[in-house]
Amino acid sequence: MAASDLLTDKAIRAALKTAVTEAKPRKISDGGGLVLDVRPTGAGWWRLRYWLAGKERMLSLGTYPDTSLAQARVKRDEARRLVADGQDPSAVRQEAKAETKRKRQAERLADAGLPPEGSFEAVAREWLKTVHEVKVSANHAERTRIRLEQDAFPWIGRCPIAEIEAPELLQALRRVEARGAIETAHRIKDACGQVFRYGIAIGACSRNPAADLRDALQPVQTSHHAAIVDPVQVGKLLRDMQDYQGNAATRAALSLSALLLLRPGELRHMEWAWLDLESATLTVPAEVMKRKKADKADGPPHLVPLASQAVAILTDLQALTGSGRYVFPALTSKQRCMSENTVRSALRRLGYGNDDMTAHGFRATARTMIAERLGIAPEVIEAQLAHAVADSLGRAYNRTQYLDQRKAMMQAWADYLDRLRKGAEVVPIAGKAA
């Protein structure tokens, strides 16, 4: 075994002095691969020569006298133990430096209220900003962000995304299930799956654990918006709506919910600028429609032919709210449209609960009864409902698709509702006995 601990501080000082005097570098050995590289500048650099996998390597251990002889020997012995274990001291040092850098960066981010780099939350927020917000509506993106912040980030947000496994994700989703929000749990799982797929694309992780949870959550019990489709019961509903004793604008909203086939959000956001009562047409802007973000930005508006009954209701309502922006302003401020719960609350006051009839249910009522009782072609009804069904040229939202047929249909539907309201004989189902 080669001798070690050969140097003394006196010998080192003498070597440094000689190097300066002679203006020549030299190396002096302490044994065990430890060498002091003496420079003409009067500085000394500790080097450790070692062999790993048959190759000679060199490791810097600091400068003398900042790193003393005793300290250099300690570093040498530690490095030699790593070599004996088959580890490369240089690689170990680099990893330690990288880990220190990561910790400091994490501390800086934490002080700023930001998630660590490479964490699930960091990747998720990047996905939200660069992908999700670009593809979907602002409201959709906001709902996704809130779900992740409330039900994912507190449990897996700070975890490195590459280290998250299916059981960890499932544990977070189980918390959502436990409060009975089964559909929300599925939506969060789907959002997390998109985050993991984005993480794979940018090299932050290598797999998507959400894909392993396909059958791990409780199934969503599919339910439809409650809707009345029996002609006699619809007639009673219409009479009850006509006798509504609340706000006049709310009563008009109830009636137009049945007449216009609009989604509740489209109805309550209706503006007077969208209406042309002379031509009996309502033009709903594309950005208000339930569409993909690109279709909201570039798609055509949705045209709604107005039956004479709808025009009459809107003409009367114009005297009440026509001076403002919204056809149905909020009760507290004309600067906002009425609440999404206004029509629902009115129905409840009339004795119709969520299991009987909903604001959205008026569309289902019309979809069913126009087809069954008036014999209108399904494609005409779907066009008026603004469902994204492509025409023969592949256009999902053709502003003039079946427009003449829809005008006739909307008037026929309004006339039929008048007969039901009056309790007249019900029109039989096409091709069947009533």
Side-chain angles (χ1 to χ4, degrees):
M1 183 176 179
S4 60
D5 298 347
L6 303 177
L7 294 176
T8 62
D9 285 312
K10 182 178 180 180
I12 293 172
R13 289 194 294 271
L16 289 170
K17 184 177 180 180
T18 299
V20 172
T21 302
E22 298 179 353
K24 291 182 179 180
R26 58 179 302 194
K27 291 181 174 64
I28 54 177
S29 175
D30 188 53
L34 180 61
V35 174
L36 183 64
D37 187 358
V38 180
R39 303 293 180 83
T41 59
W45 292 81
W46 292 111
R47 315 283 190 192
L48 176 64
R49 182 181 290 108
Y50 63 99
W51 283 260
L52 189 67
K55 294 183 179 181
E56 182 181 351
R57 311 194 180 193
M58 189 71 72
L59 180 67
S60 176
L61 299 182
T63 60
Y64 183 88
D66 293 334
T67 299
S68 67
L69 175 60
Q71 291 171 329
R73 287 170 175 170
V74 171
K75 291 182 178 182
R76 174 196 61 193
D77 294 342
E78 290 175 349
R80 287 171 64 85
R81 282 193 290 270
L82 290 173
V83 172
D85 290 337
Q87 300 183 66
D88 187 345
S90 294
V92 172
R93 174 186 289 181
Q94 291 173 3
E95 178 58 32
K97 288 182 178 179
E99 180 61 25
T100 299
K101 183 178 180 180
R102 285 193 292 269
K103 288 182 178 179
R104 289 176 179 172
Q105 176 66 5
E107 291 173 356
R108 286 194 293 269
L109 292 171
D111 290 341
L114 299 174
E117 290 184 356
S119 65
F120 178 84
E121 181 177 347
V123 176
R125 292 195 181 278
E126 182 178 330
W127 167 75
L128 282 167
K129 182 177 181 180
T130 62
V131 178
H132 197 53
E133 292 178 3
V134 177
K135 292 175 61 177
V136 303
S137 68
N139 288 338
H140 185 171
E142 180 69 2
R143 289 193 297 271
T144 302
R145 180 187 63 78
I146 291 173
R147 290 188 187 111
L148 290 173
E149 287 181 346
Q150 292 181 343
D151 294 310
F153 293 167
W155 319 114
I156 61 173
R158 300 282 162 159
C159 299
I161 190 171
E163 298 178 10
I164 297 175
E165 298 293 339
E168 296 173 84
L169 177 58
L170 180 60
Q171 186 176 13
L173 296 174
R174 288 281 190 239
R175 296 175 183 272
V176 183
E177 275 190 333
R179 65 173 190 260
I182 307 304
E183 183 175 355
T184 299
H186 281 268
R187 291 184 182 277
I188 294 171
K189 179 184 76 68
D190 293 342
C192 289
Q194 293 182 65
V195 172
F196 282 113
R197 290 197 295 274
Y198 177 74
I200 294 171
I202 64 174
C205 59
S206 59
R207 60 184 307 275
N208 173 17
D212 298 331
L213 303 182
R214 181 176 180 180
D215 300 315
L217 296 177
Q218 298 178 35
V220 177
Q221 300 299 322
T222 303
S223 61
H224 299 284
H225 297 286
I228 298 173
V229 294
D230 176 73
V232 175
Q233 293 181 13
V234 170
K236 180 180 183 304
L237 171 63
L238 293 171
R239 289 189 292 275
D240 290 340
M241 288 162 49
Q242 188 176 41
D243 295 337
Y244 180 75
Q245 298 301 309
N247 181 271
T250 302
R251 182 169 60 251
L254 284 167
S255 297
L256 291 174
S257 294
L259 287 169
L260 301 186
L261 280 64
L262 293 174
R263 296 179 177 87
E266 297 161 4
L267 179 76
R268 67 189 187 89
H269 282 95
M270 189 191 305
E271 300 181 19
W272 285 110
W274 303 355
L275 287 159
D276 185 343
L277 296 182
E278 289 188 7
S279 65
T281 304
L282 165 65
T283 303
V284 184
E287 61 267 21
V288 179
M289 302 297 295
K290 183 181 178 181
R291 298 176 178 175
K292 294 181 179 179
K293 190 170 185 178
D295 292 320
K296 285 177 177 286
D298 302 325
H302 176 54
L303 300 185
V304 181
L306 301 176
S308 59
Q309 293 90 329
V311 172
I313 293 171
L314 289 165
T315 300
D316 289 343
L317 187 60
Q318 197 169 31
L320 293 176
T321 68
S323 61
R325 173 184 176 184
Y326 293 107
V327 176
F328 303 106
L331 296 178
T332 56
S333 172
K334 291 185 178 181
Q335 305 306 313
R336 295 183 290 107
C337 67
M338 71 179 184
S339 165
E340 61 182 347
N341 292 319
T342 301
V343 171
R344 178 188 300 176
S345 298
L347 287 170
R348 286 181 177 177
R349 289 182 62 181
L350 293 173
Y352 297 89
N354 284 338
D355 294 333
D356 303 315
M357 188 66 182
T358 64
H360 203 286
F362 283 106
R363 284 167 59 85
T365 296
R367 173 65 181 85
T368 300
M369 297 184 71
I370 290 175
E372 292 185 351
R373 302 288 168 171
L374 303 184
I376 304 295
E379 56 268 24
V380 177
I381 306 173
E382 294 298 307
Q384 190 56 59
L385 290 169
H387 287 163
V389 179
D391 62 15
S392 59
L393 299 178
R395 295 172 296 195
Y397 299 103
N398 184 339
R399 72 181 71 190
T400 61
Q401 188 179 43
Y402 303 114
L403 185 57
D404 290 339
Q405 296 94 320
R406 288 192 283 130
K407 288 180 180 178
M409 179 190 76
M410 295 296 277
Q411 188 61 57
W413 172 240
D415 293 342
Y416 177 58
L417 292 181
D418 279 348
R419 293 196 294 274
L420 293 183
R421 183 185 298 106
K422 296 173 183 177
E425 184 177 353
V426 175
V427 175
I429 296 176
K432 297 181 182 180

